[in-house]
Amino acid sequence: MKLEVVILAAGQGTRMRSALPKVLHPLAGKPLVHHVIDTASALNAAAIHTVIGHGAEQVQKQLQQLPTRWVMQEKQLGTGHAVAQATPAVNDDSIVLVLYGDVPLAQTDTLQKLLSLVNEEQIAVLTVDLPDPTGYGRMLRDDANSIVAIVEQKDANAEQLKIREVNTGILAAPAKLLKQWLPQLSANNAQGEYYLTDIIGLAVSNGIKVAAHQPQSHWEVQGVNNRLQLSELERHFQRSVAEKLMTDGVTLADPARIDVRGTLTTGRDIFIDVNCVFEGNVELGDNVRIGPNCVIKNAKIAANVDIESHSLIDDAIVGVAAHIGPFARLRPGTELAANAKVGNFVETKKTYIGAGSKVNHLTYVGDCTIGVNANIGAGTITCNYDGVNKFKTVIGDGAFIGSNSSLVAPVSIGKNATVGAGSTITGNVGEEQLGVARGKQRNIDGWKRPTKKS
Ligand code: UD1
Ligand code: CA
């Protein structure tokens, strides 16, 4: 039977106290509901139906590229009502898996196990035993230990409230049965809502068995209702990423002080110091060393690269044994060849820096190509922008740019050319030439500085 996933994400999330719909709050840099849609995709769902209501427009707009059908639930009349908005489009022959948009960490193997329990005569509920079950629906079992119903906290009696096995909300059932039961739900309960959980009682009275499965860890079914829970899930997630990195051969100065918001691919014998953040797709080669407080986003860093503290790298490619930082900023379109050096307070953008070339201090290079073994002196600026257009600067192999030079683009500096310190270069400098463009020094004898009148 085909699998179709229904994700419930229409609730308001009042306790987040936020203008942002709850399911758009990020965990590891990705909206909560995006995690859930990814999980559904990983299960090879034939269709994913995401039920939205509060902030629907915003959710849909931000996540429009995701492989889901959006279903509107105008009024949040309960979880049963929410599922019923999606089921008309569900194929009768499918199995339906219900997930929550605010429960981001359910694992595919757990859900696969749950789904394996479903057939024409049996539905399955994911349950968990909690030391403190307050707030959750309780699983009612008969003398033979079979599940017979779920009773919500607000509808439960004192005896039922003692039950520690709770409903995670995640369940799976044949679409044909769900479609039979959903119209039979009533809102005749403490919250005046159409409870999805009432299908359990209907199943039992129809002679359909209810199986239960429990996840490996309670984190998998932990929901996000407030920012404290969000931070707990974030830390749990980051801890597991850190453990995986260490298992893969990366040394972390402190596994509690690294955040990965995306995919970090690593070689061996990498060292990462404290407080580094990785975003998007980042690849690190063997023996890369990263100092404290670096932010690295969408970058490919080759083997033996040394990145010193407080460096920012965004959308860049870094060649073997290059040296970056401290306090360097590589902006999008930067490429460093092998052994290139970008030092402190240097900003690069759309720039290629050839093998062995050095841009060591206090420099801006943008829209620039630098050959091999060139030396760019401190305070060099490529003037690449006239307020409207951007222009290119080309610097040849072995060129030497004296300190505090302005290279007014478009301009090219030839192979092995030299630019005198303090020059404002507006015309090309040829191969092996010296370009100097600055006021000539005059020394005036006996110069008297102004004095203050008393
Ligand atoms: C639900 C379960 C409860 C379970 C708990 C686990 C029911 C009746 N109760 O309770 O047994 O222990 O989850 O967390 O199902 N939603 C909609 N539309 C609605 C109502 C809810 O999309 O009309 C969404 C919410 O956004 C949320 C999810 O469904 O993501 C669960 O809703 P919530 O109100 O939090 O359910 P609980 O009362 O916690
Ligand atoms: Ca809830």
Side-chain angles (χ1 to χ4, degrees), residues 242-276:
E243 282 173 14
K244 168 88 168 52
L245 287 171
M246 292 186 290
T247 311
D248 289 349
V250 175
T251 298
L252 299 179
D254 182 355
R257 283 185 286 171
I258 173 172
D259 271 22
V260 179
R261 302 172 192 153
T263 309
L264 178 58
T265 311
T266 52
R268 287 170 58 172
D269 296 309
I270 289 165
F271 173 77
I272 301 175
D273 215 322
V274 298
N275 296 329
C276 291

Side-chain angles (χ1 to χ4, degrees), residues 15 22 100 102-103 135-136 168 223-225 229:
R15 283 172 283 166
K22 174 162 76 174
Y100 285 3
D102 56 1
V103 179
Y136 289 90
T168 65
V224 173
N225 293 307
Q229 288 172 335

Side-chain angles (χ1 to χ4, degrees), residues 217-295:
S217 116
H218 71 94
W219 291 110
E220 291 191 43
V221 296
Q222 195 71 58
V224 173
N225 293 307
N226 55 43
R227 295 181 201 242
L228 176 65
Q229 288 172 335
L230 180 60
S231 76
E232 287 165 354
L233 276 191
E234 177 80 38
R235 284 310 107 207
H236 168 75
F237 182 88
Q238 294 299 346
R239 176 74 204 190
S240 60
V241 172
E243 282 173 14
K244 168 88 168 52
L245 287 171
M246 292 186 290
T247 311
D248 289 349
V250 175
T251 298
L252 299 179
D254 182 355
R257 283 185 286 171
I258 173 172
D259 271 22
V260 179
R261 302 172 192 153
T263 309
L264 178 58
T265 311
T266 52
R268 287 170 58 172
D269 296 309
I270 289 165
F271 173 77
I272 301 175
D273 215 322
V274 298
N275 296 329
C276 291
V277 177
F278 298 88
E279 295 178 21
N281 281 316
V282 177
E283 284 177 44
L284 303 178
D286 293 344
N287 302 308
V288 166
R289 296 184 65 79
I290 303 177
N293 304 309
C294 291
V295 179

Side-chain angles (χ1 to χ4, degrees), residues 425-454:
I425 299 293
T426 53
N428 297 344
V429 181
E431 272 187 32
E432 315 277 342
Q433 282 187 326
L434 166 67
V436 203
R438 63 182 183 227
K440 254 201 162 21
Q441 181 171 335
R442 289 184 300 156
N443 292 341
I444 297 170
D445 290 330
W447 176 256
K448 293 278 182 287
R449 287 194 297 271
T451 50
K452 280 187 186 152
K453 290 184 187 107
S454 54

Side-chain angles (χ1 to χ4, degrees), residues 8 10-11 73 76-79 82 100 102 136-137 152 167-168 195 197:
L8 304 190
Q73 187 194 24
Q76 283 69 62
L77 301 178
T79 49
Y100 285 3
D102 56 1
Y136 289 90
E152 292 303 297
N167 174 30
T168 65
Y195 291 166
T197 44

Side-chain angles (χ1 to χ4, degrees), residues 66-218:
L66 295 187
T68 181
R69 187 174 79 88
W70 300 103
V71 183
M72 265 309 283
Q73 187 194 24
E74 301 285 351
K75 278 189 183 157
Q76 283 69 62
L77 301 178
T79 49
H81 180 262
V83 174
Q85 305 314 297
T87 42
V90 173
N91 198 299
D92 278 354
D93 300 325
S94 295
I95 289 183
V96 174
L97 171 67
V98 176
L99 299 176
Y100 285 3
D102 56 1
V103 179
L105 298 184
Q107 300 296 301
T108 51
D109 51 349
T110 300
L111 298 173
Q112 258 148 4
K113 186 76 218 300
L114 185 79
L115 288 165
S116 74
L117 300 171
V118 178
N119 56 51
E120 274 155 25
E121 281 112 48
Q122 182 164 282
I123 67 171
V125 183
L126 194 66
T127 72
V128 67
D129 291 318
L130 294 181
D132 178 11
T134 310
Y136 289 90
R138 310 296 205 281
M139 306 306 298
L140 304 188
R141 290 174 180 267
D142 64 12
D143 294 340
N145 206 34
S146 303
I147 293 168
V148 290
I150 298 175
V151 59
E152 292 303 297
Q153 165 93 18
K154 288 183 178 148
D155 301 289
N157 62 36
E159 208 51 41
Q160 292 165 335
L161 287 176
K162 288 183 194 152
I163 298 170
R164 299 221 314 240
E165 185 188 12
V166 305
N167 174 30
T168 65
I170 294 174
L171 59 78
K176 209 178 280 176
L177 295 177
L178 261 186
K179 289 182 179 193
Q180 236 173 296
W181 297 329
L182 290 173
Q184 299 181 45
L185 298 180
S186 88
N188 185 17
N189 52 52
Q191 302 185 82
E193 287 181 4
Y194 295 92
Y195 291 166
L196 178 63
T197 44
D198 285 349
I199 67 162
I200 307 302
L202 290 170
V204 172
S205 60
N206 286 202
I208 301 291
K209 281 194 243 120
V210 181
H213 177 61
Q214 298 222 332
Q216 293 278 322
S217 116
H218 71 94

